[in-house]
Amino acid sequence: SFVVVLLVAVLMLLAASAGLLVTSFPEQLGGLVTESAQGTVVYLLDVLTISFAAFVLLLLLYKIVPATHVPWRSAAAGALFASVALGIGRYPLALYMKHTWRGSAFGAASFVVAILIAFYAGAFVILIGATIGRVVALRREARRADAAGLEAE
């Protein structure tokens, strides 16, 4: 259990490092890409890096944490859904912070409420991803049982 927590912590540090590397990447592009395309390239690399890191962390979470055997395919299905949903879900928060944060009369209070809502939605998405992984595993087991039952007859 401690090893799992340590592994996830190391992966989170690697993901944060990769995010910092991507944000400093425009200087490294130099003459490879035109200046107008640099923003798009950095944005795509940022999205891919964060999505991949979220996928790997959620895959390990869904595979290792349950007290039962979870097939890799089932864990991957749940992690794929959750990482895509979390990736999509960060944009409403970013839009809120960009357009209403500075002009809000309540200032920091609205920021705290927005962050709490984002954490709640993120936790809900992670639970839905775990549920999707379980449903995939159950359907796979049912197909195998049906195939074994047909072969026995």
Side-chain angles (χ1 to χ4, degrees), residues 1-11 57 60-61 64-65:
S1 176
F2 176 73
V3 174
V4 173
V5 171
L6 190 62
L7 178 67
V8 170
V10 168
L11 287 173
L57 289 172
L60 291 174
L61 178 77
I64 297 171
V65 171

Side-chain angles (χ1 to χ4, degrees), residues 4 14 17 20 24 26 33 42 45 48 53 66-67 72 95 103 111 122 130 132 136-137 143 147 151:
V4 173
L14 289 174
S17 300
L20 288 173
S24 66
V33 181
V42 170
L45 285 174
L48 290 175
W72 281 103
L95 285 174
F111 175 75
I132 288 173
V136 168
R143 280 194 302 252
E151 290 175 7

Side-chain angles (χ1 to χ4, degrees), residues 2 7 17 27 33 43-45 49 54 56 79 84 89 118 120 124 130 136:
F2 176 73
L7 178 67
S17 300
E27 293 83 24
V33 181
Y43 173 76
L44 288 175
L45 285 174
T49 303
V56 169
V84 168
Y120 176 77
F124 191 69
V136 168

Side-chain angles (χ1 to χ4, degrees), residues 14-118:
L14 289 174
S17 300
L20 288 173
L21 180 67
V22 167
T23 55
S24 66
F25 195 65
E27 293 83 24
Q28 308 302 329
L29 286 175
L32 296 175
V33 181
T34 62
E35 274 191 44
S36 61
Q38 281 184 1
T40 304
V41 170
V42 170
Y43 173 76
L44 288 175
L45 285 174
D46 182 41
V47 169
L48 290 175
T49 303
I50 291 173
S51 297
F52 181 73
F55 175 77
V56 169
L57 289 172
L58 289 167
L59 179 66
L60 291 174
L61 178 77
Y62 295 154
K63 175 68 179 161
I64 297 171
V65 171
T68 184
H69 173 72
V70 178
W72 281 103
R73 186 176 293 178
S74 301
L80 181 65
F81 169 80
S83 63
V84 168
L86 288 172
I88 292 170
R90 27 180 264 198
Y91 295 107
L93 181 64
L95 285 174
Y96 175 77
M97 295 300 163
K98 182 178 180 181
H99 294 293
T100 60
W101 167 246
R102 293 182 188 103
S104 175
F106 295 102
S110 67
F111 175 75
V112 170
V113 171
I115 292 296
L116 288 174
I117 291 170

